[in-house]
DNA sequence: ATGTCTCCACGTTGGAGA
């Protein structure tokens, strides 16, 4: 089973690229971020025509996440628990049946948090606290759980092209990296790092200043796996070639294969 | 340093967010 995450940067503007990629990559489950549309605006017919179920948690103009799946979800939960006043659409969870058991797949769009020293950075850190609490509660189920998405976290220095450029950015602050490590300390595994020692590896290249051409990228799109999911992990791919397509997202898909049987 | 995208709105251009 192939599970992928991709920050699509506007699904309405990117529908042709998304359809082309789905046909080529053939993922079983896709976590999308930054769909930038309300649920009614999602181009679901084009996706359903390829045999995918579509579950969205949209928002007008910004944010928005979705889960596309070849198999029908048994359950969908929208929104990250822990703050009823949070009205930003950044989290959706799907539960699927495989081998008679359940797997949980979450599509998350972690707040950017810039600039540091503002409410936006505090919101990022509190959102990460809520994510850790959610992850810890789900661990008790002892099920395969995949927390996939745009974390807006540069976890290690070799995950960016120049630490000097990022040292004052919310994505690389000590508090940000510490909060990310809390997930690892709970028992979650970074799927890409579990399957390769290669560095640098990037998943995002800014549209500006020729960053793609110069390979000035950062690795911020992650699949974090519970122990039960890590046990089933086979391989990962950062589908970098998609960044060179016409009208690309600034992020590329990141995929992991598991030996779950449907 | 701020070169590019996407989306929205008292829309045909500018601001916000990334």
């Amino acid at each position: 089973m192939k599970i992928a995450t991709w920050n699509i940067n506007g699904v309405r503007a990117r529908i042709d690229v998304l359809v082309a990629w789905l046909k080529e990559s053939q993922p079983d489950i896709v976590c999308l971020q930054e769909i930038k549309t309300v649920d009614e605006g999602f181009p679901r017919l084009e996706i359903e025509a390829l045999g995918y179920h579509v579950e969205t948690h949209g928002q007008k103009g910004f944010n928005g996440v979705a889960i596309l799946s070849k198999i029908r979800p048994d359950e969908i939960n929208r929104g990250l628990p822990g703050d009823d006043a949070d009205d930003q659409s950044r989290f959706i969870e799907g539960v699927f049946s495989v081998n008679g058991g359940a797997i949980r797949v979450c599509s998350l769009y972690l707040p950017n948090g810039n600039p540091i020293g503002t409410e936006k950075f505090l919101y990022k850190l509190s959102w990460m606290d809520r994510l850790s609490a959610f992850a810890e509660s789900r661990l008790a189920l002892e099920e395969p759980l995949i927390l996939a998405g745009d974390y807006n976290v540069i976890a290690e220095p070799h995950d960016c092209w120049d630490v000097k450029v990022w040292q004052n950015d919310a994505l690389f602050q000590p508090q940000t990296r510490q909060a990310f490590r809390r997930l690892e300390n709970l028992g979650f595994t970074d799927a890409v790092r579990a399957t390769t020692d290669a560095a640098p590896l990037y998943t995002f290249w800014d549209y500006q200043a020729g960053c793609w051409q110069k390979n000035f990228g950062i690795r911020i799109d992650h699949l974090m796996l519970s122990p039960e999911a890590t046990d089933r992990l086979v391989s990962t791919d950062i589908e970098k070639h998609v960044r060179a397509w016409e009208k690309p997202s600034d992020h590329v898909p990141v995929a992991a294969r598991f030996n779950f049987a449907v």
Side-chain angles (χ1 to χ4, degrees), chain A residues 6 21 24 200-205 211-217 237-245 248-255:
Chain A
W6 193 11
W21 173 73
E24 176 193 275
L201 293 171
Y202 304 138
T203 65
F204 166 95
W205 295 260
C211 282
W212 166 246
Q213 288 76 11
K214 291 184 271 194
N215 196 29
F216 287 176
D237 279 301
I238 298 174
E239 303 194 3
K240 182 178 177 178
H241 65 288
V242 175
R243 186 63 176 79
W245 288 2
S249 170
D250 40 8
H251 298 249
V252 297
V254 182

Side-chain angles (χ1 to χ4, degrees), chain A residues 20 22 26 147 182 203 209 223 225 233-234:
Chain A
L22 288 170
Q26 293 290 318
L147 301 173
R182 281 210 305 273
T203 65
L223 294 100
L225 312 182
L233 177 64
V234 176

Side-chain angles (χ1 to χ4, degrees), chain A residues 24-259:
Chain A
E24 176 193 275
S25 183
Q26 293 290 318
D28 296 287
I29 300 175
V30 182
C31 298
L32 295 179
Q33 302 86 39
E34 281 206 273
I35 62 173
K36 296 190 177 182
T37 177
V38 293
D39 296 336
E40 303 76 52
F42 194 98
R44 66 167 50 240
L45 293 180
E46 292 90 329
I47 306 303
E48 288 171 347
L50 298 175
Y52 288 92
H53 298 272
V54 177
E55 297 288 348
T56 61
H57 185 38
Q59 181 180 337
K60 192 175 183 180
F62 308 107
N63 306 324
V65 289
I67 297 178
L68 320 179
S69 60
K70 291 267 187 174
I71 54 174
R72 182 184 298 276
D74 299 326
E75 179 185 333
I76 292 288
N77 299 304
R78 292 175 175 79
L80 181 64
D83 183 359
D84 293 339
D86 183 1
D87 58 0
Q88 299 191 30
S89 297
R90 296 178 172 276
F91 190 89
I92 185 170
E93 176 187 41
V95 186
F96 301 88
S97 294
V98 295
N99 283 348
I103 64 165
R104 288 174 187 268
V105 180
C106 300
S107 178
L108 65 95
Y109 177 47
L110 209 145
N112 175 292
N114 278 304
I116 57 176
T118 68
E119 282 296 321
K120 292 185 175 182
F121 189 59
L122 296 177
Y123 174 63
K124 179 185 190 118
L125 294 179
S126 73
W127 205 95
M128 295 184 84
D129 284 344
R130 289 163 56 199
L131 181 62
S132 286
F134 172 87
E136 188 166 14
S137 71
R138 284 288 185 259
L139 278 180
L141 299 174
E142 298 187 348
E143 291 170 346
L145 168 63
I146 294 125
L147 301 173
D150 177 357
Y151 278 73
N152 271 312
V153 173
I154 299 167
E156 298 295 337
H158 60 250
D159 291 323
C160 70
W161 59 276
D162 186 348
V163 291
K164 289 192 293 297
V165 171
W166 294 94
Q167 63 186 353
N168 294 317
D169 195 284
L171 277 61
F172 194 58
Q173 290 310 292
Q175 300 108 302
T176 304
R177 297 174 60 199
Q178 183 178 35
F180 183 79
R181 278 196 300 272
R182 281 210 305 273
L183 275 182
E184 297 179 314
N185 293 337
L186 282 171
F188 284 81
T189 297
D190 176 342
V192 167
R193 283 297 173 219
T195 48
T196 180
D197 292 325
L201 293 171
Y202 304 138
T203 65
F204 166 95
W205 295 260
D206 201 295
Y207 289 121
Q208 299 188 68
C211 282
W212 166 246
Q213 288 76 11
K214 291 184 271 194
N215 196 29
F216 287 176
I218 55 179
R219 192 176 74 93
I220 56 175
D221 300 275
H222 306 298
L223 294 100
M224 301 300 289
L225 312 182
S226 74
E228 292 79 7
T230 306
D231 287 343
R232 300 298 194 110
L233 177 64
V234 176
S235 62
T236 62
D237 279 301
I238 298 174
E239 303 194 3
K240 182 178 177 178
H241 65 288
V242 175
R243 186 63 176 79
W245 288 2
E246 286 288 314
K247 278 199 73 177
S249 170
D250 40 8
H251 298 249
V252 297
V254 182
R257 286 186 185 276
F258 299 87
N259 60 2

